[in-house]
Amino acid sequence: MKKKKCIAMLLAGGQGSRLGKLTTNIAKPAVSFGGKYRIIDFGLSNCVNSGIDTVGVLVQYKPLVLNRYVGTGESWDMAVSDGGVVILPPFAGETGGEWYLGTADAIYHNIDFIDMYDPEHVLILSGDHIYKMDYNIMLEEHIENNADLTVSVLEVPWEEASRFGIMSTDEEGRITKFSEKPKKPDSNLASMGIYIFKWKALRKALLDDHDNEKSSHDFGNDVIPKLLADKKKLFVYRFRGYWRDVGTVKSYYDSQMDLMDDMEHINVFTKDQKVFSNSNYYAPQFIGPKANVSDSLICNGCTVYGTVKHSILGSGAVIGDGTIVEDSIVLPNAIIGRNCKVKNAIVNEGVIMEDNLDVINEDGEVQVYGRAKLSI
Amino acid sequence: MKTIGLISANYSSTEFGDLLENRSLASLPYGGRYRLIDFALSNMANSGITTVGVIAPYNSGSLVDHIGIGSPWSLGRKSGGLFIMPGSAYGLQSFGSRFLLRDLIKVRAFFERDDADYVIMSDSSDVCNIDFRPIIEQHDKSGCPVTMLYKKVPKGEDYYGYFLDIDEDGKVKHIQEEGFAWANYFADCFIVDREYMIDFINWYETLEYMDVIQIMKDNMDTMDIDTYEFKGYLGKIKNPVDFIKVNQVFCNSERPIFTKAQDEAPVFHYPSSDVRNSLISAGCRIEGRVENSIIFRSVNIGKKAVVKNSVIMMHGEIGDGVVLDHVIADKYVTITGGVKIYGTKDAPVVIGKEKKI
C-alpha cells in the first residue's frame, strides 16, 4: 500500500434531532438536499475535487439510507483500488463493544483504518455542512505552518459569534484561545468543524483522550483544548465563501432556497467544484400541457401537471393537476395529488398526499409534512 | 433457462442527415437523456440478463464511449458482463439489415463460449420497454428453436421491415418483406436456442451476405418458429419526424431505462420561463418558452426565446429572443440571439453538431 499524503474522515453519525421528522429514519447527512443531492454530497464532492480519494465515513444513527447511498463511493469517482470510501460503523471487540461516544472517540476506534494508509495528514469533516471548498489550499497552509492542527474558520457577524466555537489567534494566525459558544467573544472567527491534523499528533492526542476518564471524547470540547494546553502548533485557515450548517429546519430550508436565490455564492451549475450525487436513473422531467412552473429547481424524474412557484422538486416527485406548490420543497419521490395547496412546507421523501389536501404554513414558518418512506 | 443477449448495432440509416454523420443509429441521442441502444440494453438488464454482446459498427466511437464497461446496465461483472465485438465491415455500411449473417459469423465465439440455453437477439434502435422473462418462459415451453416477437400494427401504416403470417397455433407460416400490408409486424427481436444458432451459422455460412431473417424467410419449410405478441409501445425511429415526438415510454418505475450517468444539477426554471408538454433533462436553465419539445441536459434557453416542437441536444445554447419551430439541434449547437428557424412537421430542420448560427 502506498503512503497517502492526506485522507479524510467524515463524521456522519449524528442524529440531527433539530431536523425533526426529516431525520426520523434517515441520518442527517443522508437527508435530501436541493432536489437531487443528499447533504453528504457536498463533503464527499469537496474531497474528490481536492484530490482526496480515501474517505472513512463514520456512521452510527440510522445509517441504512446513508450506507446504501454512499456505497463504494463510485458516484463521487472514488471507487479507486488504493483508496475509496469505506463506511465505518461502531463495532464489537474482544471485550464487547460500545457506541461512538463522541467525535474523537469515533476516530479513536478507527485508528487501524487510518494506519492502513499511513497518511501524513488527516482531514476531519462533518457530513452535514453545505459548502464548496478546496481542501488543498488549507492543506498547503497547514504544511507551510508546520502545524499540528489547522482549523478552518469563518468570519461571522460579531452578534452571532456566541453561537459558535470561537478561535482567538495571534497575528500569524496561530490559535491562542478556543472558547465554545462564549458569552463575550473576543474574536469572530468561528470553527467550521473542519480540521487537518498531522496524523502523528492526532494519533497521540486520541490515545491520550481515550485514557482520560473525564473527557467527553469530543474534538471541540476535549481534544483541541488539550492540544492548546500542551502548547502544540494550532493554526486557523480562513475560509471565505458560502458555508451553512443545516442544523435546523429553517436553515435547511433557507440554504436549499439559496441554490436558486443566491447562485452568486453557492452554485451547483458550475463545472468547477462540481457537486456529485448518486441519483441517476430517473427519466427527464415531464412538464405537462397545462403546467405552470416558474422560479423553481426541478429534478429528473419529476412529473408536473399543476403549478409550481419558487419551489424545489426532488427527483421523481409528482405534482397533480390543479395543485399549487409555492415556496416549498418537495423531497424525492413524494407524490402530491390533484387540487392540493402546499405553501411554506417541506414534503418528506416518498410521502403520498391525497387529492384536495392543503398543507399551508403561514407567517413564513416552514414545517415538515409526513414521515419519509424509504425506497430503493 | 440461462439466457444471454446479443444486440446488433452494426447498421445505419440515411434518413437522419447530419445527425448520423459520425455516429451509428444505436448511439443517436433520444428522449432527453438517452441513446437509442439504452432501450435494448435496459430491456436486457430489467429481464435479469447478465451477459450481453454488442455488435459494434465501424464508427463505434460514440457507442463505445456511451456504454463503456456496461455498469449502468449491471454488466460491469466478473462472470459474464458486456462484450463489445466489432461487426463486419465491407466498404459500405449496412442499412436495412439488422441481423447480418456475416456479423454473426464474426462473433461466433460469443455463442460458442457461453453455456446458456437461449440467446435474445435484439436490434438497437427501437424505443420500447419489454420484459423478456415471459417470452423466455414461453420459448422454453414451446420446443421451437426460434420465437419471434411481433407487434400488431394498423394495416397500411408506414412500417418497413418484416411481417409475419401466423397460423392458429401461433407458429410462423410465412415471413414477408415490406410492402405487404400484414398486421403482424416483426419487432426486430427474437429468441433462439444457442446451439441452434451455432448450427444455423454453420449451415448457411455460404450465404454470409444475407440477413438471418431473410434466410429464415427463404427456408420456412425447414423452420419451426413460434411467435410472441408484444402489446406495449414500440417506437420505430426511422427518421427525424419520429424523433421529435414527446413520449414517456421510458417513465416506468418498474423497469427504468438506464443510461450513462452524467450527474447534472436540477433544472432551473427562471421566473420568466414557460414550459408546456415537454421533457427537460437535468442541468438546463430555462428563461424562455418551451412547448412540445425535448430538451437534453445542460441546455440554456435565453430570455423571450421560443422553442416549439423541437429537440435540443446536450449543451445547446439558445440565445435571447430565438424562435425555433420543428428544429432538431445536435450536441453543442449555438443559436445566437434573435435568430428564427422554422421547419415543418414533415421536414424538421436538422442542425449539425457544434454548429453556430
Side-chain angles (χ1 to χ4, degrees):
Chain A
M1 182 66 68
K2 73 185 172 207
K3 191 176 162 73
K4 294 269 176 185
K5 186 176 172 191
C6 184
I7 71 167
M9 299 294 275
L10 199 152
L11 297 158
Q15 179 179 357
S17 51
R18 287 175 301 162
L19 287 177
K21 284 189 229 171
L22 290 165
T23 54
T24 308
N25 44 8
I26 299 178
K28 182 175 163 188
V31 169
S32 164
F33 191 91
K36 71 167 288 190
Y37 305 101
R38 295 191 184 271
I39 293 171
I40 197 172
D41 286 339
F42 289 82
L44 288 175
S45 300
N46 286 339
C47 282
V48 73
N49 289 330
S50 308
I52 294 170
D53 61 9
T54 307
V55 182
V57 177
L58 298 127
V59 301
Q60 177 152 290
Y61 174 81
K62 304 221 172 157
L64 174 61
V65 175
L66 184 60
N67 292 354
R68 204 175 178 282
Y69 185 73
V70 171
T72 60
E74 191 182 357
S75 294
W76 298 268
D77 285 350
M78 281 201 240
V80 294
S81 57
D82 60 345
V85 178
V86 180
I87 301 265
L88 302 169
F91 52 86
E94 303 89 335
T95 55
E98 57 191 8
W99 298 111
Y100 294 150
L101 302 174
T103 49
D105 188 55
I107 307 293
Y108 167 82
H109 278 106
N110 290 288
I111 286 177
D112 283 349
F113 171 78
I114 304 175
D115 277 343
M116 273 166 61
Y117 296 96
D118 190 19
E120 284 169 54
H121 308 281
V122 175
L123 169 66
I124 310 280
L125 301 169
S126 285
D128 45 10
H129 296 157
I130 304 302
Y131 64 115
K132 285 182 169 190
M133 179 171 172
D134 185 347
Y135 302 130
N136 267 326
I137 303 171
M138 178 175 170
L139 182 61
E140 275 166 30
E141 261 194 45
H142 170 78
I143 292 169
E144 208 168 289
N145 290 329
N146 193 22
D148 293 305
L149 162 64
T150 301
V151 179
S152 183
V153 294
L154 193 73
E155 264 182 59
V156 294
W158 280 94
E159 61 272 22
E160 285 178 30
S162 55
R163 286 175 41 220
F164 294 92
I166 293 296
M167 302 287 169
S168 309
T169 65
D170 67 12
E171 283 163 9
E172 269 81 49
R174 185 160 175 174
I175 299 170
T176 54
K177 192 175 136 198
F178 169 72
S179 20
E180 186 70 40
K181 296 179 181 151
K183 289 208 175 78
K184 285 182 187 159
D186 52 14
S187 157
N188 67 337
L189 297 179
S191 166
M192 296 160 64
I194 299 167
Y195 313 117
I196 297 180
F197 286 93
K198 264 186 197 157
W199 174 227
K200 276 188 191 143
L202 174 61
R203 201 175 190 286
K204 180 169 184 311
L206 291 172
L207 293 170
D208 290 350
D209 180 70
H210 181 71
D211 292 338
N212 179 359
E213 283 174 15
K214 286 179 195 153
S215 172
S216 62
H217 309 298
D218 184 83
F219 278 106
N221 289 330
D222 309 292
V223 174
I224 297 174
K226 175 77 169 33
L227 289 172
L228 206 52
D230 291 349
K231 303 266 184 288
K232 297 287 179 193
K233 291 178 82 177
L234 276 56
F235 282 81
V236 295
Y237 164 75
R238 282 165 178 260
F239 175 72
R240 290 178 182 83
Y242 184 98
W243 177 86
R244 295 288 186 278
D245 177 1
V246 286
T248 61
V249 172
K250 176 153 178 26
S251 63
Y252 169 74
Y253 173 89
D254 287 345
S255 76
Q256 290 184 81
M257 288 303 183
D258 285 345
L259 295 182
M260 53 183 174
D261 297 343
D262 191 16
M263 278 193 203
E264 200 186 320
H265 295 109
I266 180 82
N267 192 328
V268 288
F269 287 92
T270 51
K271 299 290 173 231
D272 61 311
Q273 296 270 302
K274 179 171 170 164
V275 185
F276 297 92
S277 74
N278 178 8
S279 61
N280 290 308
Y281 62 85
Y282 292 95
Q285 61 187 260
F286 176 68
I287 309 294
K290 288 184 284 178
N292 188 346
V293 180
S294 69
D295 200 10
S296 294
L297 286 175
I298 317 282
C299 291
N300 272 355
C302 287
T303 307
V304 183
Y305 293 104
T307 297
V308 180
K309 278 186 212 164
H310 193 247
S311 295
I312 298 173
L313 301 189
S315 309
V318 178
I319 308 299
D321 202 9
T323 287
I324 300 173
V325 176
E326 199 173 349
D327 299 318
S328 294
I329 299 169
V330 180
L331 300 191
N333 300 314
I335 297 174
I336 301 181
R338 282 170 294 190
N339 304 313
C340 296
K341 283 198 183 73
V342 179
K343 191 171 162 64
N344 287 325
I346 295 167
V347 179
N348 218 335
E349 247 181 87
V351 165
I352 296 175
M353 262 178 72
E354 286 173 21
D355 295 354
N356 308 310
L357 202 61
D358 291 354
V359 177
I360 297 172
N361 298 299
E362 292 298 352
D363 309 323
E365 202 201 327
V366 176
Q367 289 193 16
V368 181
Y369 177 82
R371 185 181 197 270
K373 185 175 175 292
L374 308 182
S375 63
I376 55 164
Chain B
M1 297 180 290
K2 190 185 165 195
T3 307
I4 59 176
L6 183 64
I7 297 171
S8 143
N10 188 21
Y11 58 89
S12 193
S13 165
T14 49
E15 300 288 325
F16 290 84
D18 286 353
L19 293 178
L20 292 187
E21 197 182 0
N22 280 313
R23 54 168 87 98
S24 57
L25 194 52
S27 59
L28 184 66
Y30 181 80
R33 73 170 300 199
Y34 305 101
R35 305 282 182 144
L36 284 178
I37 197 170
D38 289 344
F39 294 91
L41 284 167
S42 300
N43 289 338
M44 301 279 179
N46 288 327
S47 307
I49 293 167
T50 53
T51 299
V52 176
V54 174
I55 302 177
Y58 82 94
N59 53 354
S60 60
S62 69
L63 187 74
V64 172
D65 173 42
H66 180 71
I67 57 185
I69 60 162
S71 25
W73 304 275
S74 311
L75 294 173
R77 301 165 47 89
K78 288 183 177 168
S79 140
L82 178 73
F83 296 84
I84 299 179
M85 300 167 288
S88 56
Y90 38 92
L92 285 168
Q93 288 184 63
S94 156
F95 288 102
S97 176
R98 287 343 186 206
F99 306 104
L100 200 66
L101 189 60
R102 195 185 322 228
D103 284 346
L104 301 188
I105 291 169
K106 276 204 82 176
V107 304
R108 184 156 26 194
F110 176 77
F111 296 102
E112 287 170 350
R113 280 185 197 155
D114 208 281
D115 63 353
D117 302 303
Y118 309 126
V119 187
I120 290 193
M121 310 276 290
S122 168
D123 74 341
S124 54
S125 53
D126 288 345
V127 177
C128 60
N129 193 326
I130 302 181
D131 184 353
F132 289 129
R133 283 166 295 194
I135 307 166
I136 298 168
E137 211 163 291
Q138 183 195 305
H139 178 80
D140 184 61
K141 282 188 191 135
S142 76
C144 294
V146 180
T147 301
M148 293 174 92
L149 252 76
Y150 71 95
K151 165 101 188 142
K152 281 200 190 299
V153 295
K155 287 190 182 185
E157 202 157 281
D158 184 25
Y159 280 84
Y160 71 98
Y162 295 101
F163 294 82
L164 309 180
D165 184 10
I166 301 170
D167 69 17
E168 310 89 68
D169 301 328
K171 303 286 184 287
V172 178
K173 280 201 288 188
H174 303 286
I175 299 173
Q176 300 289 359
E177 274 179 86
E178 56 186 304
F180 290 81
W182 297 78
N184 302 322
Y185 177 64
F186 173 51
D188 286 322
C189 180
F190 62 97
I191 173 165
V192 56
D193 292 1
R194 184 182 59 85
E195 284 172 0
Y196 181 84
M197 199 66 228
I198 295 169
D199 290 344
F200 188 97
I201 291 169
N202 293 336
W203 293 332
Y204 296 105
E205 198 159 357
T206 51
L207 301 176
E208 56 154 24
Y209 55 89
M210 283 180 74
D211 186 89
V212 168
I213 307 301
Q214 190 84 39
I215 297 171
M216 289 180 183
K217 171 183 177 290
D218 295 347
N219 295 277
M220 270 320 291
D221 48 340
T222 64
M223 299 273 166
D224 191 10
I225 301 176
D226 197 15
T227 59
Y228 184 96
E229 184 187 350
F230 173 59
K231 291 187 172 140
Y233 177 87
L234 176 72
K236 282 274 159 195
I237 306 302
K238 52 190 186 299
N239 57 43
V241 179
D242 297 330
F243 192 70
I244 246 169
K245 290 175 196 156
V246 174
N247 81 53
Q248 285 182 277
V249 60
F250 30 75
C251 301
N252 180 327
S253 56
E254 293 281 305
R255 298 194 303 274
I257 301 301
F258 302 101
T259 188
K260 182 180 174 181
Q262 297 290 351
D263 210 353
E264 302 289 344
V267 176
F268 185 43
H269 295 251
Y270 281 76
S272 59
S273 74
D274 182 6
V275 180
R276 303 289 167 98
N277 195 40
S278 295
L279 289 167
I280 318 281
S281 205
C284 294
R285 283 182 275 191
I286 299 174
E287 297 186 73
R289 214 170 101 203
V290 180
E291 226 178 282
N292 305 327
S293 294
I294 300 167
I295 313 294
F296 283 69
R297 69 188 164 87
S298 296
V299 169
N300 294 326
I301 295 179
K303 293 185 198 76
K304 298 205 159 88
V306 179
V307 177
K308 278 164 74 178
N309 311 308
S310 294
V311 177
I312 314 293
M313 294 190 197
M314 37 285 215
H315 296 286
E317 290 288 338
I318 311 300
D320 294 346
V322 165
V323 177
L324 303 178
D325 191 358
H326 289 100
V327 170
I328 299 173
D330 206 332
K331 293 161 74 171
Y332 292 97
V333 161
T334 302
I335 313 285
T336 46
V339 171
K340 296 181 170 60
I341 303 172
Y342 300 91
T344 63
K345 190 164 176 287
D346 300 324
V349 175
V350 174
I351 301 170
K353 201 167 154 182
E354 289 163 8
K355 291 236 164 65
K356 190 174 171 183
I357 296 176

